[in-house]
Amino acid sequence: MSASESSPSSQISQSLLDQQETESQPQISPQNPKKLALLPLVFLIYFEVSGGPYGEESAVGAAGPLFAILGFLIFPFIWSIPEALVTAELSTTFPGNGGFVIWAHQAFGPFWGSLMGSWKFLSGVINLASYPILCVDYLKLVIPIFASGLPRFFATFISTLVLSFLNYSGLSIVGYTAVGLGIVSLCPFILMSLIAIPKIHPSRWISLGEKGVKKDWTLFINTLFWNLNFWDNASTLAGEVEQPQKLFPKALFSAGILTCLGYIIPLLAATGAIPLDQESWVDGYLASAGEMIAGKWLKFWIEIGAVLSIIGLFEAQLSSSAYQLLGMANLGFLPKIFGARSKWFNTPWLGILISTVIALVVSFLDFTDIISSANFLYSLGMLLEFASFIWLRVKFPALKRPFKVPMGLLGLVVMCLIPSVFLVYVLAVGTKAVYLVSALMTLFGVGWYFLMNLSKSKMWFEFNLG
């Protein structure tokens, strides 16, 4: 049977895809012909997920070297690879800005597409708020005046504005900046690993931890989960990528290799080269390990690398959030003005502005429960994403998929079920405060959907047809 003679559902789905490509991909003017190439896309995905081995230390502190090493070897196969495969298939099938919003919309309709957008956007901008604070936390080690009070406020405010302006200056600039930040922030770990080779005692790798130190499995799983997550965030940039059907799978594969090696090699070097002091393995301990292996100069470089990594994380997340709003405007979930682009840089200036303002507001709150709630919302969004992936295979079996996960329906269900168990675990261990804040933000998302529908019917704002 030829493509022209295929079933009505496949014809409808192909029509939807053609419409999606037309609406979601921006028209590139002669003054701004550049789209995102492979290398910057690789590093943007890398910073969406990882940004380097910073933050993996808690796995050793929670469960000891052996379990930490096994965790960073095995967990990518049961979490990262399934999420990356889902992202590769759906980003190449629906290559428009909006990413996961488009997927949920096509699978279950506009309500779920809009709610997915609310969950993921709120999760993203709340996490975005933490990065300038982390930068200031490192800065205060050199300039103590930034530890508290008005100086800390202004340092956070100014750093947020400066980093946001870099994002406004163009996605291509952000992408190549990410390349530079990634290389410089990884270099000290490459040196540490090379210098550590003659000092390594392999027997240290099989240690189950120090006697008397209790295992913290919740911390261990959370450390693995959040250090190997967010592969789908870059999907909101698909409309900005040169030949996304070809580049997205390559970029995801390359970023996956870079991320996994970036975690496991420094972990093997540090745990193998220095005696185990398990309770010292907390966030930032790799800098101290670098000092023990090579000297204070390496500790200083690793700390600088941490700041550069945070900058990369901020830029990648802000890009994802801003282009998500642009994609939602293209779909008609938001007023058309949300899709406005800068005449100078072709960037979604309103999306960048809104994301920055919300991040600033959150950064000046006591936001421990808010951050946990953002992760809760992200987990809900991921469950909806896996469901959308499975249902799109059922709903549109003949839809052209430039990259297709080579499994039947049962295999796909099993592939998605395993990471879904971890998502349910994250949801189950939430506190009452997290449940309350998450419920309020979900109600806001539901209310926003009906408010936008009312705005369309009353013609309060101009919308794309979607």
Side-chain angles (χ1 to χ4, degrees):
M1 182 182 292
S2 67
S4 62
E5 299 171 336
S6 58
S7 66
S9 66
S10 66
Q11 294 174 16
I12 292 171
S13 61
Q14 188 62 51
S15 176
L16 288 171
L17 176 56
D18 294 340
Q19 179 185 359
Q20 199 67 261
E21 288 179 333
T22 300
E23 292 177 349
S24 300
Q25 293 188 8
Q27 298 298 316
I28 304 300
S29 64
Q31 290 80 15
N32 194 11
K34 291 186 177 181
K35 281 197 168 189
L36 208 56
L38 178 61
L39 186 61
L41 180 59
V42 168
F43 277 88
L44 280 174
I45 295 173
Y46 169 72
F47 276 112
E48 294 282 9
V49 176
S50 168
Y54 311 98
E56 72 173 346
E57 298 98 331
S58 297
V60 178
L66 178 61
F67 285 113
I69 292 168
L70 290 176
F72 279 100
L73 285 173
I74 297 172
F75 201 78
F77 290 94
I78 59 178
W79 172 259
S80 300
I81 291 177
E83 188 183 0
L85 288 173
V86 168
T87 302
E89 177 169 316
L90 295 181
S91 293
T92 55
T93 305
F94 303 98
N97 295 321
F100 35 73
V101 179
I102 301 173
W103 312 339
H105 178 208
Q106 297 287 8
F108 300 117
F111 172 79
W112 291 103
S114 177
L115 188 58
M116 171 74 92
S118 297
W119 281 340
K120 288 295 191 82
F121 178 74
L122 290 172
S123 172
V125 294
I126 290 170
N127 280 308
L128 185 69
S130 64
Y131 300 135
I133 292 174
L134 289 172
C135 279
V136 174
D137 284 341
Y138 277 99
L139 188 61
K140 74 182 183 183
L141 299 176
V142 181
I143 310 175
I145 195 175
F146 291 135
S148 61
L150 205 57
R152 180 178 179 83
F153 172 89
F154 279 112
T156 303
F157 182 77
I158 296 300
S159 62
T160 302
L161 292 185
V162 170
L163 295 177
S164 297
F165 181 79
L166 174 60
N167 211 276
Y168 172 70
S169 66
L171 187 59
S172 182
I173 292 174
V174 170
Y176 282 105
T177 299
V179 174
L181 292 172
I183 292 172
V184 175
S185 63
L186 282 173
C187 278
F189 293 107
I190 295 173
L191 282 175
M192 182 184 79
S193 301
L194 291 173
I195 296 171
I197 289 175
K199 303 179 181 181
I200 287 176
H201 297 279
S203 60
R204 291 172 175 163
W205 292 336
I206 60 175
S207 169
L208 297 176
E210 292 182 304
K211 291 183 179 179
V213 179
K214 188 177 179 181
K215 299 285 192 295
D216 188 343
W217 295 114
T218 299
L219 176 60
F220 175 72
I221 292 173
N222 280 338
T223 300
L224 295 175
F225 186 75
W226 295 114
N227 276 282
L228 291 163
N229 213 343
F230 304 102
W231 294 93
D232 62 331
N233 274 9
S235 67
T236 63
L237 309 175
E240 309 301 308
V241 175
E242 182 181 341
Q243 297 182 310
Q245 291 90 344
K246 294 182 179 180
L247 293 194
F248 243 95
K250 293 179 182 178
L252 284 163
F253 176 79
S254 301
I257 296 296
L258 182 62
T259 297
C260 293
L261 292 179
Y263 280 127
I264 195 65
I265 292 176
L267 182 61
L268 289 171
T271 55
I274 60 177
L276 178 63
D277 181 7
Q278 191 172 342
E279 292 183 340
S280 296
W281 278 84
V282 296
D283 288 350
Y285 184 71
L286 280 175
S288 299
E291 181 178 12
M292 286 183 271
I293 290 171
K296 185 162 285 189
W297 63 272
L298 187 56
K299 178 183 180 181
F300 182 67
W301 192 353
I302 291 174
E303 289 173 343
I304 292 176
V307 175
L308 297 179
S309 177
I310 292 167
I311 293 172
L313 291 166
F314 181 95
E315 297 301 335
Q317 180 59 65
L318 180 55
S319 295
S320 176
S321 297
Y323 281 93
Q324 179 192 328
L325 293 185
L326 183 147
M328 292 179 72
N330 289 338
L331 291 165
F333 291 138
L334 294 173
K336 196 173 182 179
I337 184 64
F338 282 79
R341 291 176 180 262
S342 164
K343 293 181 180 179
W344 292 342
F345 304 112
N346 201 42
T347 47
W349 65 268
L350 186 57
I352 293 172
L353 178 62
I354 291 172
S355 301
T356 301
V357 170
I358 295 175
L360 275 172
V361 171
V362 172
S363 68
F364 298 121
L365 300 175
D366 182 10
F367 63 101
T368 302
D369 287 331
I370 298 177
I371 287 287
S372 297
S373 300
N375 294 334
F376 189 96
L377 294 183
Y378 179 84
S379 298
L380 289 174
M382 282 305 306
L383 287 173
L384 178 55
E385 187 173 308
F386 285 134
S388 299
F389 174 66
I390 297 297
W391 187 240
L392 283 168
R393 278 289 190 100
V394 175
K395 186 178 182 181
F396 300 135
L399 181 62
K400 180 182 178 182
R401 291 171 168 85
F403 174 86
K404 186 175 182 179
V405 181
M407 293 183 187
L409 188 61
L410 180 60
L412 296 177
V413 170
V414 173
M415 183 188 82
C416 294
L417 185 62
I418 296 173
S420 294
V421 170
F422 288 98
L423 292 168
V424 172
Y425 169 79
V426 171
L427 297 176
V429 298
T431 63
K432 291 181 179 178
V434 168
Y435 290 141
L436 176 60
V437 175
S438 300
L440 290 174
M441 288 193 283
T442 298
L443 286 174
F444 170 81
V446 173
W448 184 265
Y449 170 74
F450 289 107
L451 176 61
M452 291 299 99
N453 281 347
L454 180 63
S455 298
K456 289 179 186 178
S457 64
K458 299 292 186 180
M459 293 186 290
W460 290 341
F461 302 102
E462 184 180 1
F463 288 82
N464 286 319
L465 294 178

